[in-house]
């Protein structure tokens, strides 16, 4: 007896899962601003997926927050899309939105402006606009340091959710001495009081920075900094920088969605 050999079970399962994903996307594509609410029967008719099969797919989407099933049995989009949409928007738009703000601030004070984000326990510079002065702060995209070191890191650290901050401090306490812990805690208190972190000659002996941070709706923490040689900063200049970085980070948060 001849014929096609039986497909291996794993290949058949893979094809089934691929078809289920395809059917799930077909169901999700039905939701539009004009028709945001659907019944199981209407979705089955629109997608041409058998009702029983579609119900299993919809139940999976509900479990993962992609859809919500109301008390009346109707389906609407779930809240997971808000988080995914905000995350994708921030990945695409953060630097694009920040760039004109960074250039405007650089032009106002002619000092280097730096955009940083949190990456685990590190702060990472993701963009910068350099001062046009001969003697200026230089930066590099990808430069990273622990969150408790430097103005940008402290601004990010102060904006972590309470549990994440407590976990970071617990890890720091296992590795640092009491004096270092006291310094970090005092710095965080100052950031909460002033709305900015000001650091002079700590990360680099000849540089100073003033930073403000925000936690976006997506969960990403962002810091906006002005950095300059230490010889060009005093109390009035630091106060001017503080106003500028607070306004800048507020503008970024307004456009990308700042978390409460």
């Amino acid at each position: 007896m001849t014929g096609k050999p039986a497909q291996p079970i794993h290949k058949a399962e893979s094809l089934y899962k691929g078809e289920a994903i395809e059917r799930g996307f077909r169901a999700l594509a039905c939701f539009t601003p004009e028709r945001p609410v659907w019944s199981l029967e209407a979705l089955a008719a629109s997608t041409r997926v058998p009702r029983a099969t579609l119900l299993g797919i919809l139940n999976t989407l509900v479990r993962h927050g992609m859809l919500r099933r109301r008390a009346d049995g109707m389906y609407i989009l779930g809240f997971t899309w808000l988080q995914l949409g905000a995350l994708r928007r921030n990945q695409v738009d953060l630097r694009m939105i920040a760039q004109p703000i960074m250039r405007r601030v650089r032009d106002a004070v002619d000092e280097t402006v730096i955009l940083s984000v949190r990456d685990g326990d590190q702060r990472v510079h993701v963009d910068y606009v350099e001062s046009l002065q001969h003697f200026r702060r230089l930066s590099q995209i990808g430069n990273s340091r622990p969150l408790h070191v430097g103005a940008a890191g402290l601004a990010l650290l102060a904006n972590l959710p309470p549990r994440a901050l407590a976990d970071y401090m617990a890890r720091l306490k296992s590795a640092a001495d009491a004096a270092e812990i006291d310094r970090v805690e005092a710095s965080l208190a100052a950031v909460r009081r002033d709305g900015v972190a000001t650091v002079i000659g700590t990360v680099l002996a000849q540089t100073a920075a003033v930073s403000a941070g925000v936690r976006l709706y997506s969960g990403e923490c962002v810091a906006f900094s002005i950095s300059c040689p230490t010889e060009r900063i005093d109390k009035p200049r630091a106060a001017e920088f503080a106003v500028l970085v607070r306004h800048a980070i507020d503008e970024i948060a307004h456009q990308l969605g700042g978390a409460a």
Side-chain angles (χ1 to χ4, degrees):
M1 185 175 179
T2 61
K4 288 184 177 181
Q7 288 185 337
I9 292 177
H10 69 275
K11 185 175 181 180
E13 288 179 348
S14 177
L15 290 173
Y16 172 78
K17 291 177 181 178
E19 186 176 1
I21 293 171
E22 173 67 26
R23 288 172 166 177
F25 277 115
R26 280 159 55 189
L28 290 171
C30 292
F31 292 84
T32 65
E34 294 74 27
R35 189 170 179 180
V37 182
W38 287 77
S39 67
L40 172 60
E41 291 73 17
L43 283 171
S46 181
T47 60
R48 298 182 180 179
V49 177
R51 186 182 185 280
T53 302
L54 183 60
L55 178 60
I57 294 171
L58 296 181
N59 286 341
T60 298
L61 293 172
V62 168
R63 283 200 304 273
H64 291 280
M66 299 293 186
L67 290 177
R68 291 179 61 205
R69 188 172 186 271
R70 300 191 320 196
D72 61 3
M74 302 293 281
Y75 291 89
I76 60 175
L77 291 179
F79 292 118
T80 296
W81 294 108
L82 294 176
Q83 182 179 6
L84 292 174
L87 177 59
R88 178 56 180 156
R89 183 185 63 188
N90 290 338
Q91 288 174 337
V92 173
D93 290 349
L94 174 57
R95 292 175 66 187
M96 182 179 71
I97 286 172
Q99 265 286 333
I101 302 171
M102 295 169 72
R103 291 187 181 280
R104 188 175 71 233
V105 172
R106 189 278 309 275
D107 292 345
V109 295
D110 199 9
E111 299 293 357
T112 297
V113 177
I114 304 171
L115 187 70
S116 311
V117 299
R118 175 201 176 201
D119 182 14
D121 285 351
Q122 302 282 311
R123 76 92 178 102
V124 180
H125 294 334
V126 295
D127 208 352
Y128 63 92
V129 178
E130 286 185 356
S131 165
L132 300 177
Q133 300 188 64
H134 178 71
F135 184 44
R136 61 186 183 272
R137 164 69 190 275
L138 300 178
S139 184
Q140 288 184 328
I141 293 176
N143 179 281
S144 66
R145 290 189 183 274
L147 289 175
H148 65 281
V149 177
L154 288 169
L156 294 170
L157 192 59
N159 279 278
L160 291 184
R163 179 59 183 272
L165 175 58
D167 289 346
Y168 183 91
M169 293 304 296
R171 291 190 292 275
L172 183 60
K173 287 176 182 178
S174 69
D177 58 29
E180 178 73 354
I181 299 302
D182 289 345
R183 182 194 66 78
V184 173
E185 290 179 341
S187 297
L188 290 174
V191 176
R192 297 189 189 99
R193 181 191 68 230
D194 302 333
V196 298
T198 302
V199 171
I200 300 174
T202 298
V203 179
L204 298 172
Q206 302 301 316
T207 65
V210 179
S211 304
V214 69
R215 179 163 50 92
L216 300 176
Y217 179 81
S218 65
E220 187 172 31
C221 289
V222 181
F224 190 102
S225 310
I226 300 174
S227 185
C228 68
T230 54
E231 66 185 41
R232 291 206 297 264
I233 194 167
D234 53 20
K235 285 187 176 181
R237 188 77 160 156
E240 179 188 11
F241 289 178
V243 171
L244 290 170
V245 297
R246 282 197 297 261
H247 286 171
I249 205 68
D250 286 348
E251 189 173 348
I252 291 171
H254 177 72
Q255 295 193 53
L256 290 176

